[in-house]
Amino acid sequence: MSDATALLDDPQEWSAFGRPCGAATEGALPADGRWESHVVLEGMHCAACALTIEDALRQVPGVAEADVSAATRRARVVWSPGQVLPSQWMEAVRRAGYRAMPAMDAFAREQRRRESRRALWRWLVAGFCMMQVMMYAWPAYQAVPGDLTAEMEQLLRWASWVISLPVVLFACGPFFSSALRDIRQRRVSMDLPVALGMLITFVVSMIGTFDPTGPFGREVYYDSLTMFVFFLLTGRWLELRLRDRTAGALEAVMNRLPDSVERRTAEGVFVRVATRRLQVGDVVRVLPGEAFPADGRILAGSTQADEALLTGESTPVHKSPGSTVTAGSHNLRSAVEVAVDALGAQTRFGQIVALMEAASLQKPRLAQLADRVARPFLVGVLLAALLAAVWWWPTDPSHALMVAVAVLVVTCPCALSLATPVAMLTAAGTLARGGVLVRNLQALEALATVDTVVFDKTGTLTHDRMAVSGTQVAPGAGLAPEQALGLAAMLARHSLHPVSRALVAAAAETETPGLSWTLDEVHELPGAGLQARAWQAGQAVILRLGSAAHARVAQVEGQQVVLSAEREGWVAELARFALSEALRPEAASVVRQLRSAGIDVQLLSGDRGAAVQGVAARADIGVAHGDCTPQDKLQRLQALQASGHRVAMVGDGLNDGPVLAGAHASFAFGKAVPLAQSRSDIVVLGDNLAPVAQTLLLARRTLRIVRQNLWWAAGYNAVGVPLAIAGYMPAWLAGLGMAFSSLLVVMNAARLARIPGGDAVAISQPPHSTPMPVEVA
């Protein structure tokens, strides 16, 4: 156990790469609870490696869960501090042959850079040696009998052997070390057949060099060895670079907090400390170009903040004293002093990171299938190589071994294991750059097959910034219009519904006289409004604030909310408030875009039928239903699903929770209430409908690319394996085919990170969209 790893056993360090699970509060160090940590893994290359690490972690007492992603090389570990410490389960990873580092630590980023530099050096050495060996091998290929003396031919072999040694001892190091690790652990990974192929080729050639008259002396294969090592390292290095770019958007968000910040001491002096040492109530100074380390309020100074990666808002936001700032956003203009209000998982940044970490570690259904077949497939590769060698041995032992090498190399299932996760993560990264967070990678698969999109109305198709356009007091209510508005606002303050916010805003703008009412037992009834027990002059009544239908009065045109009172079973209407709402300017174009993609669009709302039909007509939606309770919405959704439709739900509000959970895929906006957001698969951080259609189109394209990758991987093996077994594919060509296959899969997936203008609309937010807070249950 290293000293650096042992330092991670300090509970104060745990928040740097994890958070408490469940109901534990930020900063708590539960002795009996659980802690969730995220680490970056070094030394893994494939799905079989991921399964090995998962097995090693799950065998550690105290580790409850372990999920490893081969595409991102990250792991999520849930562990109990009372039973195990980070150094112990990291040691289990080390014994399995890998290395775990804190995912949010600057050391991990530096380690990845070192890994990239080492891969580049190995590639350069292999390339230089390959050219030299080819120079020595060329005369043997071009010479006719009698052109080369036996001494000259032997001298060229010795020169090739010497030049091949750096390739075997240095460039091939990762393959051999991984294979030795597999043998010690009695398991199979994708590096084992490749390392066997390299070793067999070098040993056969070396025997032919030392004993030119022996059974393997007819030909040496140093040129094939150096060529296919160079091709493999080329593919692996480019794959590493492309995968780093693939996860770039996710990393850009997850590693956005600064490592250190200036904190004010009791003497008023600012001293730089580690960000994880901050506490609520501290005052920090954030310099221009630095990221804000926590949610807080500006105490001194004015600046502009870049919140693009957190909200999708591309325009810098002005921040003055008293303004709130968000962890992870960047200070652009001048130094400011900030009072820390929330840290870690309690910040909006922490909530976004939690969503992205969960998505990056998920395994889509197709990826799970590839993981399940990886190990049996590798065992089959070894058996196929052995059978090929046995078949060709009587004819030519040297050729038989090289046929086995070609089979070992050409059938390595790297492309199969990368086909799905790389494409999914590339799409998730592209969406993240535009302010769309994919909470569930499975949803991208489901979203690609959706044929019906169902919208909620208020706050989704329409702006949630509704306005009170008129107040009508019922005769005999004994209230002035201002008093009725003030009483309605008292109830509305207990709700986040757009109608409630409109009433509160209208009351704030109107001089309302003092009210003698007091409220208690306030409840929000999903889809029905608000209800409370009110007291006036010692008498209790039940106040209700809801639609006209729920207030038991006649239907009238227009969107209205009714305030009513109930006493001893007798219900009286007190006031009626007329509300106006504006259709989002992009709503009609989004509906047209969905229809042009062959997707049916419907509208389900709990508002009155007349208002719903009016909005549907303006948005050009043919099927619309109003007066829907949450149960009605769910039943209509289930009816669509029962008739064979694949349905996506776009909602915003308390009454959308059940239907969001029941849909094949679901969207919620970043301003959604916790229940709605917790049930959604995709969270749109901005305030624009356009990403809904764009995400659906990108999901379809992602599934197309996944299928292309899978077909390519299957087709490549279907062609390559018979050719290798028949002896028509030399080892260097097998190495080229394997490298090209993996590289093609990654490059094909990389197309999802750059959307051509004519193919799909780029994920973006309008320049003046309003960033809204993210609330995660």
Side-chain angles (χ1 to χ4, degrees):
M1 182 190 305
S2 66
D3 294 338
T5 304
L7 287 175
L8 298 177
D9 291 344
D10 182 357
Q12 302 242 346
E13 300 290 332
W14 297 349
S15 59
F17 60 105
R19 63 186 65 86
C21 291
T25 58
E26 180 67 23
L29 303 176
D32 299 323
R34 289 181 177 178
W35 198 276
E36 177 184 303
S37 297
H38 292 262
V39 293
V40 175
L41 298 164
E42 180 184 358
M44 64 176 297
H45 305 290
C46 62
C49 297
L51 296 175
T52 298
I53 298 173
E54 286 181 355
D55 292 342
L57 285 169
R58 288 169 181 167
Q59 291 174 6
V60 177
V63 172
E65 299 177 32
D67 299 302
V68 179
S69 169
T72 61
R73 302 182 184 181
R74 295 171 66 94
R76 167 183 170 269
V77 184
V78 177
W79 51 283
S80 300
Q83 298 178 264
V84 68
L85 292 173
S87 63
Q88 294 171 322
W89 53 259
M90 286 185 179
E91 177 65 16
V93 175
R94 190 198 64 78
R95 288 196 301 269
Y98 306 90
R99 186 180 180 190
M101 296 163 289
M104 301 297 289
D105 195 23
F107 174 73
R109 297 192 291 274
E110 178 60 28
Q111 183 65 27
R112 287 196 296 273
R113 284 194 290 268
R114 285 200 298 268
E115 182 182 358
S116 180
R117 286 196 295 269
R118 286 196 299 265
L120 179 60
W121 272 110
R122 291 190 180 97
W123 175 74
L124 290 174
V125 169
F128 176 79
C129 293
M130 177 195 69
M131 290 186 290
Q132 297 301 311
V133 170
M134 287 300 299
M135 183 176 67
Y136 296 139
W138 186 255
Y141 284 121
Q142 295 298 313
V144 297
D147 285 351
L148 288 178
T149 63
E151 292 80 5
M152 177 59 67
E153 185 174 356
Q154 187 66 9
L155 178 63
L156 292 176
R157 288 189 178 188
W158 277 101
S160 298
W161 177 74
V162 172
I163 297 298
S164 298
L165 286 176
V167 177
V168 175
L169 299 179
F170 175 69
C172 297
F175 299 102
F176 289 139
S177 61
S178 179
L180 287 174
R181 181 177 61 210
D182 292 339
I183 293 172
R184 287 196 300 266
Q185 299 290 333
R186 297 180 181 179
R187 63 172 186 254
V188 178
S189 74
M190 295 182 189
D191 280 346
L192 181 59
V194 174
L196 282 175
M198 294 174 179
L199 184 62
I200 292 172
T201 305
F202 182 71
V203 169
V204 168
S205 301
M206 187 170 63
I207 293 174
T209 301
F210 283 84
D211 184 15
T213 60
F216 301 108
R218 186 173 61 86
E219 187 177 359
V220 294
Y221 304 96
Y222 296 116
D223 54 335
S224 295
L225 170 67
T226 55
M227 284 181 69
F228 85 71
V229 169
F230 174 73
F231 293 144
L232 290 178
L233 291 177
T234 300
R236 183 160 289 190
W237 182 68
L238 291 175
E239 177 190 321
L240 178 65
R241 295 292 302 272
L242 287 170
R243 284 210 282 189
D244 285 345
R245 287 177 54 189
T246 294
L250 302 177
E251 293 287 332
V253 175
M254 287 190 273
N255 294 326
R256 204 164 163 84
L257 289 187
D259 298 315
S260 62
V261 68
E262 294 183 356
R263 180 176 64 182
R264 190 169 69 188
T265 64
E267 294 77 20
V269 180
F270 285 94
V271 178
R272 187 161 290 274
V273 299
T275 299
R276 58 181 175 271
R277 302 291 182 180
L278 293 179
Q279 297 180 357
V280 174
D282 285 345
V283 176
V284 298
R285 181 167 61 190
V286 183
L287 303 177
E290 290 185 337
F292 291 99
D295 287 357
R297 293 168 288 105
I298 293 183
L299 299 179
S302 298
T303 187
Q304 288 187 329
D306 176 12
E307 300 179 341
L309 280 180
L310 302 179
T311 65
E313 170 60 61
S314 59
T315 304
V317 181
H318 179 71
K319 301 292 183 180
S320 57
S323 299
T324 59
V325 293
T326 305
S329 60
H330 270 93
N331 181 13
L332 297 179
R333 178 169 294 180
S334 59
V336 292
E337 295 180 13
V338 178
V340 175
D341 291 335
L343 290 163
Q346 304 305 312
T347 65
R348 179 167 50 161
F349 171 81
Q351 295 162 1
I352 291 173
V353 167
L355 297 182
M356 299 183 76
E357 285 178 333
S360 67
L361 288 166
Q362 288 174 356
K363 294 180 181 178
R365 179 179 51 83
L366 293 174
Q368 293 174 3
L369 178 62
D371 287 354
R372 285 196 296 270
V373 303
R375 283 178 174 169
F377 186 86
L378 287 169
V379 173
V381 167
L382 297 175
L383 291 176
L386 178 62
L387 292 175
V390 171
W391 174 265
W392 283 97
W393 189 272
T395 305
D396 184 348
S398 177
H399 181 66
L401 292 178
M402 296 312 297
V403 168
V405 168
V407 173
L408 287 171
V409 175
V410 78
T411 55
C412 188
C414 290
L416 182 65
S417 67
L418 292 173
T420 299
V422 171
M424 292 289 185
L425 288 171
T426 303
T430 301
L431 293 171
R433 287 196 299 271
V436 180
L437 298 185
V438 181
R439 297 184 66 239
N440 181 5
L441 284 183
Q442 301 276 11
L444 283 178
E445 291 186 45
L447 193 61
T449 61
V450 160
D451 58 20
T452 304
V453 174
V454 177
F455 285 96
D456 179 46
K457 181 180 71 66
T458 305
T460 303
L461 281 178
T462 62
H463 282 295
D464 62 353
R465 297 179 294 275
M466 304 180 71
V468 177
S469 57
T471 302
Q472 180 183 359
V473 179
L479 294 172
E482 295 80 8
Q483 291 176 316
L485 181 59
L487 184 58
M490 289 177 65
L491 272 76
R493 287 189 180 94
H494 295 83
S495 171
L496 293 176
H497 194 278
V499 171
S500 299
R501 281 185 267 183
L503 290 169
V504 172
E509 296 172 358
T510 305
E511 293 186 5
T512 56
L515 297 172
S516 58
W517 296 77
T518 59
L519 302 181
D520 61 13
E521 300 181 16
V522 182
H523 301 287
E524 184 163 7
L525 308 176
L530 290 163
Q531 177 178 295
R533 181 181 296 275
W535 299 84
Q536 185 185 38
Q539 296 184 348
V541 296
I542 301 297
L543 289 181
R544 290 194 179 91
L545 183 67
S547 67
H550 293 299
R552 303 180 188 173
V553 298
Q555 297 277 339
V556 294
E557 292 187 2
Q559 187 171 4
Q560 297 191 355
V561 175
V562 171
L563 176 66
S564 61
E566 178 182 348
R567 179 182 298 166
E568 298 178 356
W570 175 73
V571 179
E573 178 181 324
L574 299 180
R576 188 181 295 253
F577 305 95
L579 298 168
S580 61
E581 58 181 347
L583 185 71
R584 293 181 184 272
E586 73 278 4
S589 64
V590 169
V591 172
R592 286 195 298 270
Q593 191 175 5
L594 291 172
R595 283 184 172 171
S596 66
I599 298 169
D600 185 36
V601 180
Q602 298 189 15
L603 174 59
L604 295 178
S605 175
D607 288 339
R608 295 182 58 252
V612 173
Q613 294 299 330
V615 169
R618 284 184 284 161
D620 196 22
I621 297 176
V623 179
H625 301 279
D627 298 311
C628 293
T629 64
Q631 292 76 18
D632 293 336
K633 288 185 178 182
L634 186 58
Q635 288 174 1
R636 291 185 182 277
L637 176 77
Q638 291 172 342
L640 286 171
Q641 293 171 330
S643 61
H645 291 284
R646 305 280 296 179
V647 185
M649 178 68 193
V650 186
D652 176 25
L654 178 65
N655 60 337
D656 293 327
V659 72
L660 286 174
H664 291 103
S666 56
F667 291 82
F669 286 88
K671 63 187 181 305
V673 297
L675 175 61
Q677 186 170 318
S678 68
R679 301 294 182 87
S680 65
D681 300 309
I682 299 168
V683 179
V684 181
L685 297 180
D687 193 22
N688 191 346
L689 276 177
V692 173
Q694 295 159 358
T695 301
L696 194 147
L697 295 177
L698 186 62
R700 287 187 169 185
R701 192 177 182 202
T702 300
L703 191 59
R704 285 201 303 271
I705 285 180
V706 167
R707 288 170 176 165
Q708 290 169 6
N709 287 346
L710 291 174
W711 277 111
W712 163 255
Y716 157 76
N717 280 283
V719 173
V721 173
L723 289 176
I725 293 176
Y728 294 118
M729 181 173 288
W732 67 267
L733 185 58
L736 177 61
M738 173 193 166
F740 179 73
S741 178
S742 299
L743 188 60
L744 183 65
V745 164
V746 177
M747 291 180 65
N748 194 32
R751 294 192 297 134
L752 295 167
R754 181 176 51 86
I755 304 178
D759 194 0
V761 181
I763 303 295
S764 61
Q765 297 292 338
H768 301 294
S769 62
T770 303
M772 303 297 286
V774 176
E775 301 177 10
V776 179

